[in-house]
């Protein structure tokens, strides 16, 4: 695997994880805290009151965390603001997210929309590889595999392979209807959205 392939694969994994994050934000029944001070208090509670572990989690000093908790600081720099938003949203309404994941894995499946390169046939045919916009409903079994891979912190290739297999099976193979052995190449993801 060349350096460009590794970078491309890392971008694909990031886009898949971003797609999950956006899908989960859409599920929230209440908005997540927006104020840095409220975000700090919320995250400290999730860290069982430990300012030290919260500081490590956010990549800042313990004093910085204490200044936000006391109200002495109110405007974080861009890096800290991004970390606060990301960490708050990752901890916000865990039961809502868990229920949606359970429903997707057991009965509902997922809807994946993406723009990526798909190749399935030799050059010069209508099946030749090209960039395609695809929206497809993924079966609960494929949804369960994707969710399990994402939750377990799967390697880049495992998560990519799970999404590629789900799209290939649902869209190109159509559940096996006559094209069961079709090999599909999934690469160069421009954008990807997931809906529970």
């Amino acid at each position: 695997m060349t350096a460009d392939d590794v970078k491309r694969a890392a971008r694909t994994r990031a886009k898949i994880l971003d797609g999950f994050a956006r899908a989960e934000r859409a599920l929230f029944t209440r908005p997540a805290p927006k104020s840095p001070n409220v975000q700090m208090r919320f995250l400290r509670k999730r860290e069982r009151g430990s300012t030290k572990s919260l500081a490590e989690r956010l990549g800042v000093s313990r004093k910085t965390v204490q200044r936000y908790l006391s109200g002495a600081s109110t405007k974080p720099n861009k890096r800290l603001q991004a970390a606060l938003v990301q960490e708050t949203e990752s901890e916000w309404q865990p039961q809502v997210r868990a229920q949606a994941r359970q429903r997707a894995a057991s009965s509902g499946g997922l809807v994946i929309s993406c723009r990526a390169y798909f190749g399935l046939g030799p050059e010069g045919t209508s099946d030749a590889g090209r960039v395609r916009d695809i929206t497809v409903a993924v079966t609960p079994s494929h949804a369960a595999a994707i969710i399990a891979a994402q939750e377990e912190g799967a390697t880049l290739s495992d998560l990519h392979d799970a999404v590629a297999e789900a799209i290939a099976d649902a869209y190109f193979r159509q559940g096996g209807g006559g094209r069961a052995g079709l090999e599909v190449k999934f690469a160069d993801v421009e954008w990807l959205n997931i809906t529970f």
Side-chain angles (χ1 to χ4, degrees):
M1 205 177 218
T2 68
D4 286 341
D5 291 340
V6 170
K7 288 178 186 176
R8 218 175 290 127
R11 285 192 302 267
T12 298
R13 185 176 196 283
K15 288 175 183 168
I16 293 169
L17 294 176
D18 287 345
F20 266 108
R22 283 191 305 277
E24 288 178 341
R25 279 195 301 271
L27 298 171
F28 292 160
T29 58
R30 295 183 329 236
K34 301 287 186 223
S35 158
N37 301 60
V38 176
Q39 290 170 331
M40 283 284 189
R41 285 195 299 272
F42 170 75
L43 290 171
R44 182 182 62 177
K45 188 182 291 186
R46 301 303 274 181
E47 291 292 331
R48 297 190 171 103
S50 171
T51 55
K52 181 181 178 185
S53 63
L54 178 55
E56 290 171 1
R57 183 176 180 176
L58 296 173
V60 296
S61 70
R62 195 172 184 176
K63 288 246 186 227
T64 301
V65 170
Q66 291 168 341
R67 281 194 303 269
Y68 281 96
L69 291 171
S70 70
S73 293
T74 58
K75 299 217 181 224
N77 62 31
K78 287 182 181 180
R79 193 202 60 75
L80 178 57
Q81 179 63 39
L84 281 169
V85 168
Q86 179 181 352
E87 294 299 322
T88 300
E89 288 180 351
S90 73
E91 294 281 341
W92 192 247
Q93 295 189 324
Q95 290 176 337
V96 171
R97 285 197 312 272
Q99 288 170 354
R101 287 170 177 249
Q102 178 62 33
R103 192 172 44 252
S106 63
S107 62
L110 297 170
V111 175
I112 299 176
S113 302
C114 66
R115 179 176 179 83
Y117 174 88
F118 291 94
L120 37 131
E123 292 299 318
T125 68
S126 63
D127 287 339
R130 63 181 181 271
V131 174
R132 299 172 191 239
D133 290 332
I134 292 179
T135 299
V136 64
V138 174
T139 64
S141 61
H142 283 299
I146 293 168
I147 290 168
Q150 191 262 339
E151 287 176 345
E152 294 167 3
T155 65
L156 158 71
S157 65
D158 290 342
L159 186 59
H160 180 271
D161 291 347
V163 172
E165 182 62 24
I167 293 171
D169 197 42
Y171 188 83
F172 295 103
R173 296 183 201 126
Q174 299 161 349
R179 301 178 86 180
L182 185 67
E183 286 294 320
V184 179
K185 181 180 177 191
F186 172 61
D188 299 332
V189 178
E190 292 180 24
W191 55 266
L192 185 135
N193 290 320
I194 297 172
T195 308
F196 284 94

